[in-house]
């Protein structure tokens, strides 16, 4: 089947640019999601998701129809026991969101709250864990999409486990992009969605969790829809998701996972790194500066400092680029004014080079001063 589909270069951090094959996979014969054929498709996806982070036989996964936030809500409301307490490392908007979810459900929380773009101090994390034995869970964002920071999740897991604290990792914008070994971290819960580095369409979110935790989840239910135990056991008893799944999105996620395995973990990481290095060096050449030091960067997203020129308007630059097929993204509450560029999705070095040419065109046309 040939579909002529315009290819946009999305430099926003997801939903990301998808391949034509992933787009085409949406067009399938209508099927009732209660049919075994569809249940088998879902079961295959649930087996493959933990394998992407090398969880293999020690981890399970559960799918929900929702955006990424729904998966965070499922993990937070299902994992924490009624007498538990959540500590959140909050150095960006997504850490803050986890805290907001917990507070909505009146789960006791404490937060290690930093300016957006500040690197967590592990001795402070330890001090907080040591000081408060009521903390049962710790949540951290692996790749803080607000700033492009890669938080030291491995070290944080080690610390948390030393204090018998379970870890909930928001890996929304790193899963299937940055290589992760969940068994090395021995992390309890990891959440991501169908539309970021896995390169599928938006509509599904999943929680990958350690097998031995399943039975304990039963007692923790707080949400009707986002309950991991009900959703997981419901599906495994019947081969059907308890509530209507987004049928076509599931087919396109299947295709996206197949593409991931054929590209391989290292192949995807190499492609993303090439994209990022092309972007980083191209922006440096144009005079741009960045929010974070190089060693804290995820290398899949850049928070770029706004040009110093008083004529600069993000919206005008956005519109110029958008009309030419490139979507850029505004900043989000970082300590300095930024805009963001992600290189995730079905993007290649040539796309980034073309973007840089168009960006330069805009800068020259407006005679913009980029930095002092
Ligand atoms: C790290 C992180 N967590 C959570 C979310 C929320 O996901 P959604 O907007 O799909 O609900 C995002 C979205 O960009 C994210 O980057």
């Amino acid at each position: 089947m040939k579909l002529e589909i315009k290819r946009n270069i999305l430099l926003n951090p997801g939903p990301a640019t998808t391949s034509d094959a992933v787009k085409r996979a949406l067009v399938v014969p209508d099927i009732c999601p209660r049919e075994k054929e569809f249940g088998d498709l879902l079961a295959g996806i649930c087996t493959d998701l933990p394998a992407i982070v090398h969880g293999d036989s020690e981890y399970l996964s559960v799918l929900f129809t929702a955006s990424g936030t729904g998966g965070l809500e499922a993990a937070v409301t299902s994992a924490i026991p009624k007498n538990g307490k959540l500590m959140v490392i909050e150095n960006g908007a997504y850490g803050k969101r986890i805290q907001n979810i917990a507070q909505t459900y009146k789960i006791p929380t404490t937060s290690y709250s930093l300016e957006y773009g500040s690197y967590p101090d592990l001795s402070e994390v330890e001090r907080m864990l040591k000081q408060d034995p009521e903390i049962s869970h710790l949540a951290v964002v692996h790749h803080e999409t607000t700033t492009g920071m890669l938080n030291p999740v491995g070290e944080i897991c080690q610390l948390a486990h030393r204090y018998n604290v379970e870890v909930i990792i928001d890996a929304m914008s790193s899963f299937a992009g940055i290589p992760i070994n969940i068994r090395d971290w021995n992390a309890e819960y990891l959440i991501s969605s169908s539309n970021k580095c896995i390169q599928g369409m938006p509509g599904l979110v999943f929680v990958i969790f350690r097998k031995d935790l399943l039975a304990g989840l039963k007692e923790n239910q707080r949400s009707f829809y986002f309950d991991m135990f009900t959703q997981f056991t419901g599906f495994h008893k019947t081969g059907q998701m308890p509530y209507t799944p987004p049928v076509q999105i599931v087919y396109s996620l299947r295709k996206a996972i197949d593409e991931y395995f054929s590209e391989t973990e290292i192949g995807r990481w190499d492609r993303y790194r090439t994209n990022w290095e092309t972007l980083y060096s191209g922006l440096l050449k144009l005079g741009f500066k960045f929010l974070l030091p190089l060693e804290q960067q995820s290398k899949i997203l850049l928070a770029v400092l706004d040009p110093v020129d008083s004529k600069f308007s993000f919206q005008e630059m956005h519109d110029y680029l958008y009309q030419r097929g490139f979507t850029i993204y505004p900043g989000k509450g970082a300590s300095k004014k930024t805009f963001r560029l992600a290189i995730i999705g079905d993007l290649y070095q040539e796309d980034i080079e073309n973007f840089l040419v168009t960006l330069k065109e805009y800068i020259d046309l407006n005679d913009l001063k980029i930095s002092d």
Side-chain angles (χ1 to χ4, degrees), residues 67-69 72 94 97 141 143 145 170 172-173 196:
S67 79
T69 306
L72 298 175
Y94 295 108
R97 184 169 301 180
V141 180
H143 172 216
T145 324
D170 173 346
M172 212 69 72
S173 60
K196 293 202 188 278

Side-chain angles (χ1 to χ4, degrees), residues 254-314:
R254 177 67 265 165
K255 185 72 197 168
I257 294 172
D258 291 344
E259 287 190 347
Y260 174 83
F261 284 129
S262 63
E263 185 171 20
T264 75
E265 175 181 66
I266 196 66
R268 177 149 308 174
W269 180 227
D270 280 348
R271 176 165 61 82
Y272 279 13
R273 247 185 337 196
T274 303
N275 287 350
W276 189 88
E277 277 158 16
T278 306
L279 181 66
Y280 184 75
S281 59
L283 290 172
L284 269 183
K285 226 185 261 170
L286 292 173
F288 282 100
K289 296 197 168 145
F290 309 101
L291 179 71
L292 299 182
L294 196 54
E295 66 278 9
Q296 294 173 4
Q297 305 261 4
S298 63
K299 304 209 163 61
I300 59 175
L301 178 144
L302 270 169
V304 186
L305 297 189
D306 279 2
V308 291
D309 202 315
S310 59
K311 303 193 290 298
F312 174 70
S313 152
F314 172 79

Side-chain angles (χ1 to χ4, degrees), residues 109-231:
T109 61
T110 182
S111 85
Y112 173 26
S113 190
L114 293 141
E115 211 173 22
Y116 292 4
S118 294
Y119 200 69
D121 174 355
L122 294 175
S123 59
E124 179 58 16
V125 174
E126 176 153 27
R127 193 195 62 73
M128 290 182 72
L129 290 168
K130 199 187 254 175
Q131 185 190 287
D132 189 348
E134 289 188 353
I135 296 170
S136 59
H137 289 71
L138 184 151
V140 59
V141 180
H142 183 214
H143 172 216
E144 188 36 274
T145 324
T146 315
T147 57
M149 181 174 286
L150 195 66
N151 279 318
V153 165
E155 288 94 323
I156 289 168
C157 284
Q158 263 184 12
L159 270 180
H161 292 149
R162 204 177 296 155
Y163 293 88
N164 287 326
V165 166
E166 295 183 358
V167 186
I168 299 171
I169 298 168
D170 173 346
M172 212 69 72
S173 60
S174 55
F175 175 89
I178 299 172
I180 291 174
N181 188 318
I182 197 169
R183 279 179 301 145
D184 282 356
W185 290 348
N186 195 20
E188 280 76 9
Y189 304 90
L190 183 143
I191 303 102
S192 190
S193 66
S194 51
N195 56 271
K196 293 202 188 278
C197 303
I198 192 63
Q199 301 183 178
M201 300 285 172
L204 282 165
V205 67
F206 40 91
V207 185
I208 295 170
F209 61 103
R210 241 185 28 220
K211 232 178 200 172
D212 57 299
L213 299 166
L214 178 64
L217 299 179
K218 191 173 181 187
E219 304 304 317
N220 304 341
Q221 181 171 13
R222 292 178 176 84
S223 160
F224 179 78
Y225 187 86
F226 288 116
D227 184 53
M228 283 174 58
F229 186 81
T230 316
Q231 184 83 352

